[in-house]
Amino acid sequence: MDAKAIIDTLSSQFTGVIYDAQVESDIRILAKVKNENVKDICQYLKEELSFGHLCCELGVDHPERNEIEVVYVIGSYEHPVVLTLKAILPRDNPEIESVVPVYWNANWYERETYELFGVKYLNHPDLRPLVLPQDMLGEWPLRKDYKGFPNKTAKNLV
Amino acid sequence: MAEVEPVSTNNKDDMQEEIPGVMTTSTSAISDFLKKTKAQDLINWGRKNSLWFTVNAMGCCGVELLSTGMAHYDTDRFGIIPRNSPRHADVLIISGYVTKKYFPALKRIWDQMPAPKWVIAFGDCAISGGPFYESYSTRQNIDEVFPVDIYVPGCPPRCEALIQAFYELQKKIVAKKDKGTDY
Ligand code: SF4
């Protein structure tokens, strides 16, 4: 299937849930999804459309819009297409359903997005900080209003 | 990370156990006396020729640290041997950035090493933060925590630079200028 056919199938299956769908080029699709349905969409993508590879999952902070975007980049071994899905969450209480039951490798991506942006993943099997120490939880260092950056304590600078 | 309760082994009752034929003491009077005599030169000669180091590769500099210990650079010929347990080691090489999460572990490695022990700050990250000098997740100013004897600049420094660092450390030990012992 090419990009156009994939986005048509997806939009007809999930009318109203997928919006602002855009075919960016022959190999890239960009779409926004309602955040309650992310897991269902991923399930459908994996089982029906053979999008079996979650390449990455990340957060983007938009303080001016008071939003945090969670981005899913999903690839396929059968179609020459990479799909980018964006779910938009409110900045003060970002919560979204975990996709670990569908794509197991999302586990560490979600833990990292949690510790860096504070996105709470519901029903995640083990939501702990991944690379930051436990006591930095709550600082959310990659949010743009984070006060601890730049850290100016270093001496011995040349 | 769960903190381990420090167990004090320095109280008198523990130290004065009876070992047949052995006299035990809990003071450092003997080593303090030896420091004032010529015998210390002999002790230092022994120490400088067996600088065993811990293998804790921390940042990208750790790769240089590992290859220094391997066959190509062969530091064994100077008595500088990589040890996998901090309890066997004399030299702690801080090889790269110290993240806030790793810092407690590094501290514990340092506490486990038996004295006399020395520290080499290897790489720009250990000296000043290097490329990570403004980072939210790295611990800055490591030299305030550990008594660093030798600084090796570079990103990463070459293996030869580490061998040079050991050589400088040996010179410091012979000159009794190192921070590993109080003179
Ligand atoms: S000094 Fe350079 S090579 Fe060494 S740990 Fe830092 S960034 Fe890596």
Side-chain angles (χ1 to χ4, degrees):
Chain A
M1 283 203 279
D2 63 352
K4 187 85 181 59
I6 286 167
I7 201 65
D8 286 345
T9 322
L10 210 53
S11 323
S12 59
Q13 186 71 23
F14 293 95
T15 27
V17 174
I18 292 194
Y19 57 103
D20 285 356
Q22 234 174 294
V23 179
E24 287 188 309
S25 74
D26 287 347
I27 54 164
R28 304 281 314 209
I29 304 175
L30 178 68
K32 294 194 171 137
V33 295
K34 289 245 173 68
N35 47 32
E36 311 85 63
N37 302 72
V38 164
K39 198 182 140 199
D40 300 336
I41 293 170
C42 287
Q43 194 94 45
Y44 179 78
L45 279 171
K46 185 177 178 185
E47 280 163 14
E48 310 293 327
L49 296 182
S50 68
F51 274 83
H53 181 186
L54 180 72
C55 312
C56 74
E57 181 177 345
L58 58 140
V60 184
D61 188 23
H62 292 286
E64 72 288 349
R65 286 191 261 136
N66 202 22
E67 284 169 357
I68 285 184
E69 270 177 4
V70 176
V71 183
Y72 301 82
V73 182
I74 305 174
S76 165
Y77 296 109
E78 280 176 29
H79 319 297
V81 175
V82 176
L83 192 62
T84 308
L85 299 180
K86 293 184 177 178
I88 299 198
L89 312 178
R91 206 154 171 281
D92 12 280
N93 185 24
E95 277 187 349
I96 192 164
E97 189 67 29
S98 164
V99 297
V100 177
V102 186
Y103 298 113
W104 64 269
N105 66 326
N107 192 329
W108 278 18
Y109 294 139
E110 293 188 349
R111 280 172 66 183
E112 201 168 5
T113 314
Y114 170 59
E115 70 183 356
L116 296 173
F117 291 93
V119 178
K120 252 222 191 72
Y121 288 93
L122 306 172
N123 301 325
H124 187 284
D126 182 23
L127 198 60
R128 283 182 292 132
L130 178 64
V131 289
L132 291 184
Q134 191 76 36
D135 47 331
M136 277 184 77
L137 202 63
E139 297 184 17
W140 318 135
L142 283 202
R143 288 202 188 185
K144 289 190 178 145
D145 55 3
Y146 175 60
K147 293 285 182 303
F149 184 85
N151 168 4
K152 292 285 186 196
T153 55
K155 317 172 303 173
N156 299 341
L157 292 177
V158 278
Chain B
M1 202 181 76
E3 278 302 314
V4 175
E5 281 289 312
V7 183
S8 166
T9 51
N10 268 350
N11 66 38
K12 279 237 160 61
D13 304 337
D14 285 359
M15 295 298 286
Q16 286 180 344
E17 60 183 317
E18 288 294 321
I19 306 172
V22 176
M23 241 166 53
T24 58
T25 170
S26 56
T27 72
S28 51
I30 297 174
S31 65
D32 285 349
F33 170 72
L34 283 180
K35 273 175 201 159
K36 298 197 192 74
T37 66
K38 281 275 175 212
Q40 187 65 27
D41 291 343
L42 184 68
I43 294 172
N44 281 353
W45 176 84
R47 282 178 181 173
K48 85 165 186 142
N49 284 312
S50 67
L51 291 173
W52 297 359
F53 66 90
T54 53
V55 183
N56 58 327
M58 289 153 53
C60 8
C61 282
V63 180
E64 302 293 310
L65 167 78
L66 297 178
S67 52
T68 309
M70 284 183 201
H72 187 77
Y73 291 94
D74 191 22
T75 48
D76 295 21
R77 62 202 154 123
F78 308 116
I80 300 164
I81 305 175
R83 301 304 301 192
N84 289 324
S85 165
R87 293 182 195 278
H88 298 167
D90 306 301
V91 184
L92 175 71
I93 300 175
I94 302 175
S95 52
Y97 39 79
V98 184
T99 58
K100 285 182 182 161
K101 189 161 183 176
Y102 188 59
F103 180 70
L106 185 66
K107 199 92 193 340
R108 194 187 291 180
I109 288 174
W110 174 246
D111 290 342
Q112 285 181 346
M113 287 167 57
K117 49 191 177 180
W118 298 274
V119 190
I120 293 177
F122 188 61
D124 285 352
C125 284
I127 297 172
S128 66
F132 307 101
Y133 74 108
E134 287 182 332
S135 166
Y136 55 85
S137 69
T138 56
R139 184 79 162 67
Q140 308 294 349
N141 306 332
I142 286 302
D143 52 334
E144 289 173 355
V145 186
F146 300 102
V148 180
D149 264 312
I150 308 284
Y151 296 88
V152 189
C155 182
R158 295 196 53 132
C159 301
E160 290 91 338
L162 186 55
I163 297 176
Q164 170 96 29
F166 277 113
Y167 182 63
E168 299 293 332
L169 183 58
Q170 289 179 338
K171 284 208 284 195
K172 261 183 126 171
I173 291 172
V174 168
K176 301 189 182 173
K177 292 256 164 50
D178 60 293
K179 295 184 186 163
T181 329
D182 305 318
Y183 289 107

